[in-house]
Amino acid sequence: MIHIKKHFTDLAIFGDTLTLNDKLYVGRPNIGNRDRLLSRINDILDRRWLTNHGPYVQEFEQRIADLVGVKHCIATCNATVGLELAIRALELKGEVIVPSFTFIATAHALQWQEITPVFCDIDPQTHTINPWRIEAMITPRTTGIIGVHVWGQPCNIEALTKISQKHNLKLLFDAAHAFGCSYKGQMIGNFGEIEVFSFHATKFINSCEGGAIVTNNNELANKIRLMENFGFAGMDNVIYIGTNGKMSEMSAAMGLTSLESMDEFSEVNYRNYKYYQQELGGIPGISLFKFNEQEKCNYQYIILEIDELETHISRDKLLEILHANNIIARRYFYPGCHRMEPYRSYFPHTRLLLPETEKLGDCVLLLPTGTSINQDIIRIIAQIIRTAITEAKTT
Ligand SMILES: *Cc1c(COP(=O)(O)O)cnc(C)c1O
């Protein structure tokens, strides 16, 4: 490991872009134009309209609806509350089928409302829920399916739509990763009954914290609007049970500013993705998750799969070496929702039903990308990985 670190030092001809003391993180936020943001913040302070569907939230919702080509967009304080609202608006209950290979919020949004998440295995090619495993999991208590567009890679939406129609199940998508992505030429946000985006700091577009519920269904949109604001139908008039799911003006100001740089962010991400492809190409046992370049994609994630039989080094050892060299790579969705509480205790044998989820969770490694990374850095990251593998083979 010391040897690699020295190697890294030798290679570190960064000019003034990076010193060895800088850590590179997965999910480091992309920041849009600072002056635009500050001028919006000044507007907010001048207006003294800080929240409750202010002008920036309205503008943010309109921009998202236009970009996605969807009828209704309701901005939320975050995507987790967005999912909870969507689940409630769809009147899901009993059991809902979800992948375990997702961020814990997908499962928690159900369990929080005492709905049982039934974990389904994934397709190892797309990393998304495997439609052909769903029918065997349907019981009389099943009311819906939540697909997750992991990494911005759309689920097999066509198959999921067919299955949900056949069994009269509601179909909801956790599109937290998939803002700016398309499926068969149509923007994500138009599928199922409802889709939910996240604008958390680590996501492609961020509003510090935030999310959006999108739907083409008028009735659902009206219901969610009420639920998001305590059920208020007007001043002093509550007609429904609700919560506080509103986005603030400050968040919308950040979100709007981030949206203005959307093309730049995806260009940078795409360029980084191609550099990674080029630099990691010849390393045996390392494969980079491939996106369909015919579709729109935000390329927000760089996903490696480590085949330990070929690399002779485990994913976790490689992670350790990268961290020791200030590259803060991450395991994602590890160890999988089914192995986290409370699900692990509720269903201790679930892992037997999820061989692909288990396998993937043990071999995935995410690398940094975004506007704080460039070709030189990618070359060095690849060099560290190559050296680690070469050394593992010779020792
Ligand atoms: C980030 C994320 C969420 C939660 O989003 P928040 O805005 O942080 O609440 C839900 N699902 C997935 C797949 C995510 O990655």
Side-chain angles (χ1 to χ4, degrees):
M1 208 193 305
I2 293 161
H3 177 74
I4 293 164
K5 203 157 191 170
K6 182 166 171 296
H7 202 75
F8 183 53
T9 314
D10 291 342
L11 266 164
I13 321 153
F14 292 115
D16 51 11
T17 47
L18 184 84
T19 71
L20 271 181
N21 295 326
D22 276 339
K23 284 188 179 351
L24 295 171
Y25 292 93
V26 168
R28 187 150 188 242
N30 287 327
I31 309 283
N33 185 302
R34 201 176 282 247
D35 293 334
R36 296 280 297 150
L37 175 65
L38 295 177
S39 103
R40 286 192 167 106
I41 290 175
N42 270 323
D43 287 347
I44 293 170
L45 299 179
D46 289 345
R47 269 199 292 267
R48 299 198 186 214
W49 191 347
L50 307 185
T51 186
N52 289 1
H53 212 230
Y56 282 149
V57 166
Q58 293 174 38
E59 188 183 341
F60 189 54
E61 288 178 340
Q62 191 58 53
R63 289 266 166 98
I64 291 165
D66 291 347
L67 260 155
V68 169
V70 69
K71 241 165 145 179
H72 305 282
C73 170
I74 299 133
T76 58
C77 53
N78 59 55
T80 306
V81 168
L83 284 167
E84 287 169 11
L85 287 167
I87 287 163
R88 227 180 152 99
L90 288 169
E91 296 175 21
L92 298 182
K93 42 184 142 357
E95 297 173 0
V96 170
I97 298 171
V98 289
S100 173
F101 193 74
T102 178
F103 183 58
I104 196 72
T106 323
H108 277 358
L110 290 164
Q111 192 64 52
W112 193 251
Q113 312 187 60
E114 315 213 336
I115 300 162
T116 304
V118 174
F119 295 119
C120 183
D121 212 359
I122 46 165
D123 173 340
Q125 298 301 296
T126 64
H127 299 183
T128 60
I129 193 165
N130 185 339
W132 320 120
R133 295 272 171 279
I134 288 179
E135 285 191 297
M137 314 193 91
I138 296 173
T139 75
R141 279 167 48 78
T142 309
T143 56
I145 301 169
I146 303 182
V148 184
H149 307 305
V150 178
W151 324 131
Q153 161 70 45
C155 300
N156 185 341
I157 295 173
E158 217 166 74
L160 292 176
T161 305
K162 272 196 195 131
I163 291 165
S164 62
Q165 281 166 354
K166 180 172 161 201
H167 296 274
N168 199 22
L169 302 174
K170 299 277 168 47
L171 180 59
L172 167 64
F173 288 106
D174 177 340
H177 289 190
F179 187 70
C181 303
S182 70
Y183 174 79
K184 304 201 171 176
Q186 194 174 8
M187 294 306 283
I188 293 294
N190 287 286
F191 301 101
E193 263 86 18
I194 298 175
E195 301 208 57
V196 180
F197 296 120
S198 172
F199 302 116
H200 179 257
T202 58
K203 303 302 203 282
F204 173 54
I205 294 300
N206 89 81
S207 60
C208 299
E209 287 274 5
I213 301 170
V214 289
T215 181
N216 285 308
N217 181 315
N218 301 342
E219 206 180 312
L220 283 171
N222 289 337
K223 200 160 149 188
I224 291 165
R225 276 255 177 252
L226 284 170
M227 292 169 103
E228 177 189 56
N229 188 28
F230 313 100
F232 273 106
M235 215 176 269
D236 308 326
N237 185 25
V238 172
I239 61 162
Y240 209 86
I241 181 172
T243 184
N244 183 355
K246 299 186 300 305
M247 175 178 273
S248 77
E249 285 291 278
M250 289 286 184
S251 278
M254 184 71 176
L256 280 167
T257 309
S258 189
L259 269 183
E260 283 168 351
S261 298
M262 180 168 162
D263 291 342
E264 181 203 327
F265 295 160
S266 60
E267 274 161 33
V268 168
N269 283 343
Y270 178 70
R271 201 158 63 214
N272 288 344
Y273 167 72
K274 297 311 270 186
Y275 288 142
Y276 270 116
Q277 216 168 40
Q278 196 178 307
E279 297 293 337
L280 295 168
I283 309 180
I286 300 281
S287 50
L288 181 64
F289 184 86
K290 256 191 132 140
F291 290 99
N292 176 358
E293 297 195 21
Q294 306 308 309
E295 298 285 356
K296 286 210 167 109
C297 181
N298 58 39
Y299 298 96
Q300 176 71 0
Y301 299 92
I302 299 291
I303 309 108
L304 294 190
E305 285 173 60
I306 317 294
D307 179 356
E308 194 180 337
L309 287 177
E310 282 216 40
T311 58
H312 301 274
I313 188 169
S314 69
R315 184 271 310 267
D316 291 347
K317 184 71 193 163
L318 193 55
L319 181 78
E320 202 180 285
I321 292 170
L322 286 163
H323 281 209
N325 285 283
N326 277 345
I327 314 296
I328 313 302
R330 292 284 305 271
R331 299 178 286 199
Y332 254 48
F333 312 137
Y334 175 83
C337 296
H338 66 290
R339 286 166 65 181
M340 309 254 221
E341 292 297 354
Y343 315 107
R344 178 171 62 189
S345 298
Y346 288 175
F347 322 109
H349 304 299
T350 306
R351 60 159 70 187
L352 301 174
L353 299 170
L354 305 173
E356 298 298 345
T357 304
E358 289 274 314
K359 219 189 293 172
L360 190 66
D362 285 341
C363 78
V364 158
L365 194 61
L366 266 74
L367 295 177
T369 183
T371 48
S372 45
I373 303 290
N374 58 35
Q375 186 176 16
D376 292 338
I377 294 170
I378 291 166
R379 191 168 293 144
I380 287 160
I381 294 173
Q383 188 56 40
I384 292 167
I385 294 172
R386 191 178 295 113
T387 308
I389 291 174
T390 312
E391 292 201 349
K393 274 189 180 159
T394 54
T395 50

